[in-house]
Amino acid sequence: MSTVAYLPFLQQTLRYFDRPHEAPARSPVTSPAAWRRRDLENAPWRVRLSLGEIDEVRRAVSNWRAMSLPLAEMTAAEFPLPTLAAKITDWRNEVSSVRGLQVVSGAPVDAWSVDESSIFFWGLGQHLGHPGAQNRKGDLLGHVRDTGADKSDRYVRQYLTTQDIPFHCDAADMVGLLCLRKARSGGLSRIASSVSVYNELLRRRPDLALRLFEPLMLDTRDEAEANGLKTLPVAPCRYAGGVLRTFWHSEYFRTSQRHAGVCLTDSENELLDLYDEIAASPEFFIDMDLEPGDIQLLSNHSVIHARTDYVDFDAADRKRHLLRLWITLRDASQHQPALAARLGS
């Protein structure tokens, strides 16, 4: 449970990248998080809120609105969910220690304004862990919708367009989405187990798999948020205690080459291509067509996520709109000193 309102952007990023590491995983990783599509067909990864639970979250939203306080000041104590508490613990455990995903249906977003839905989602995040800002400006919730941004611009933030988004992770232990409205067609959430992708890569090309435990240069894309840094060295995989933790963003690894002094080798390009190829194989991924009121919770350590392109409605009040939440699930005694120093933290 959170004891602070939220984590600043850089603090959350440092905690996420502070992944324990002992040695590369040289044999397949056995874990509930190592699933493939067939393993999820009958798995209980989706639950629905009961009428009593919906009443509870309605009261919590109404009580917070009555206090007329900024969302940034909310902690779990100001958003009590006693009935849901045990289930929220189960959802957090499912994401952090089991399959890496949980979907919860039934949030009454059709009866709420966007502000009320935001209060609910931020309040839920307070019970799941430590919510964090998603940029240096301190934006607490991301609004995933088409803003008319130029899709042809390779460096545009793709969640602000209707285009497909390739597999990646976000810089927080957990990412949550709350669907307010869905697109006219498309816009499916596509997820795959990064543990299973690694195991398959290890089977096919162990030489390339082991390269994942060494740093690749990551394009920051926003120098203002990275204290002027254009690139950062990030090892995609860390392995300790039998747990594989993966950060994946092949597009940002690739575009780091636009900066002076950065050049991917042939084998590194082959690694990026093969990893993405495996993840995009139908046996590895599952598509979710999120409905209004659906909450998707994913681990950014064991799950990679993507989105298919979509066609939206013309009317502004019907356009696809999701809220995004970033959450830290664990405390870290110390952060990566080299990365912290480079970021000026």
Side-chain angles (χ1 to χ4, degrees), residues 14-36:
L14 290 171
R15 288 194 183 197
Y16 171 73
F17 281 120
D18 184 28
R19 299 163 293 164
H21 181 62
E22 297 166 354
R26 297 178 180 273
S27 57
V29 178
T30 302
S31 164
W35 50 263
R36 298 191 183 193

Side-chain angles (χ1 to χ4, degrees), residues 313-332:
F313 291 97
D314 293 329
D317 61 352
R318 296 191 65 190
K319 287 185 178 296
R320 184 180 190 269
H321 190 180
L322 291 85
L323 298 179
R324 185 181 63 202
L325 184 67
W326 286 358
I327 303 172
T328 294
L329 296 179
R330 60 194 173 94
D331 292 322

Side-chain angles (χ1 to χ4, degrees), residues 137-182:
K137 295 182 295 184
D139 291 339
L140 304 182
L141 289 169
H143 289 265
V144 182
R145 55 189 172 186
D146 178 32
T147 63
D150 184 3
K151 293 189 290 186
S152 66
D153 181 356
R154 186 176 185 183
Y155 306 109
V156 73
R157 298 299 297 273
Q158 293 164 310
Y159 76 90
L160 300 176
T161 74
T162 62
Q163 71 182 107
D164 62 293
I165 301 176
F167 280 113
H168 66 283
C169 300
D170 299 312
D173 294 331
M174 177 193 289
V175 57
L177 290 175
L178 171 61
C179 180
L180 304 183
R181 294 188 298 271
K182 59 186 295 185

Side-chain angles (χ1 to χ4, degrees), residues 288-308:
M288 295 184 184
D289 189 8
L290 298 178
E291 299 289 339
D294 281 353
I295 303 162
Q296 181 195 69
L297 304 173
L298 301 176
S299 168
N300 277 310
H301 294 293
S302 64
V303 171
I304 50 177
H305 58 277
R307 187 193 70 197
T308 66

Side-chain angles (χ1 to χ4, degrees), residues 48-49 54 57 104-110 112 120 178-179 292-295:
R48 176 169 287 276
L49 295 174
I54 292 173
V57 298
V104 181
S105 300
V109 297
D110 289 341
W112 281 335
F120 159 69
L178 171 61
C179 180
D294 281 353
I295 303 162

Side-chain angles (χ1 to χ4, degrees), residues 27-170:
S27 57
V29 178
T30 302
S31 164
W35 50 263
R36 298 191 183 193
R37 177 201 293 264
R38 64 175 181 270
D39 300 316
L40 296 188
E41 291 177 351
N42 298 309
W45 49 267
R46 182 187 287 270
V47 298
R48 176 169 287 276
L49 295 174
S50 69
L51 292 178
E53 292 162 349
I54 292 173
D55 286 341
E56 179 172 86
V57 298
R58 285 181 184 272
R59 286 193 299 273
V61 169
S62 296
N63 290 341
W64 177 259
R65 290 192 72 200
M67 289 190 282
S68 300
L69 294 172
L71 200 62
E73 295 184 15
M74 183 197 294
T75 64
E78 287 88 33
F79 199 81
L81 298 173
T83 302
L84 270 174
K87 289 187 177 180
I88 292 172
T89 298
D90 290 341
W91 302 340
R92 181 171 56 244
N93 182 64
E94 187 69 28
V95 172
S96 65
S97 304
V98 190
R99 296 183 185 88
L101 73 143
Q102 180 70 63
V103 175
V104 181
S105 300
V109 297
D110 289 341
W112 281 335
S113 66
V114 173
D115 285 345
E116 289 171 317
S117 294
S118 299
I119 291 169
F120 159 69
F121 204 31
W122 184 252
L124 177 63
Q126 291 292 337
H127 289 271
L128 286 165
H130 299 279
Q134 298 185 22
N135 50 44
R136 275 187 176 270
K137 295 182 295 184
D139 291 339
L140 304 182
L141 289 169
H143 289 265
V144 182
R145 55 189 172 186
D146 178 32
T147 63
D150 184 3
K151 293 189 290 186
S152 66
D153 181 356
R154 186 176 185 183
Y155 306 109
V156 73
R157 298 299 297 273
Q158 293 164 310
Y159 76 90
L160 300 176
T161 74
T162 62
Q163 71 182 107
D164 62 293
I165 301 176
F167 280 113
H168 66 283
C169 300
D170 299 312

Side-chain angles (χ1 to χ4, degrees), residues 166-285:
F167 280 113
H168 66 283
C169 300
D170 299 312
D173 294 331
M174 177 193 289
V175 57
L177 290 175
L178 171 61
C179 180
L180 304 183
R181 294 188 298 271
K182 59 186 295 185
R184 187 169 71 184
S185 64
L188 303 181
S189 175
R190 178 167 292 177
I191 67 171
S193 163
S194 55
V195 184
S196 289
V197 173
Y198 176 80
N199 286 344
E200 180 65 12
L201 179 66
L202 184 66
R203 185 186 70 82
R204 296 191 197 181
R205 291 290 304 274
D207 57 321
L208 294 182
L210 295 180
R211 176 64 182 85
L212 290 171
F213 296 92
E214 301 172 18
L216 291 169
M217 297 308 293
L218 181 75
D219 190 350
T220 65
R221 293 288 182 96
D222 191 335
E223 297 170 30
E225 291 195 353
N227 283 8
L229 291 175
K230 296 178 173 63
T231 61
L232 285 173
V234 176
C237 289
R238 304 277 83 182
Y239 183 67
V243 178
L244 179 71
R245 296 177 176 89
T246 300
F247 168 76
W248 189 251
H249 217 315
S250 61
E251 178 67 8
Y252 281 38
F253 291 139
R254 294 179 199 278
T255 62
S256 66
Q257 296 178 104
R258 67 190 174 120
H259 301 295
V262 181
C263 183
L264 291 170
T265 66
D266 290 344
S267 63
E268 288 168 345
N269 277 309
E270 188 178 9
L271 166 61
L272 297 178
D273 289 344
L274 183 54
Y275 193 102
D276 284 341
E277 176 186 322
I278 294 170
S281 302
E283 66 185 286
F284 284 92
F285 72 78

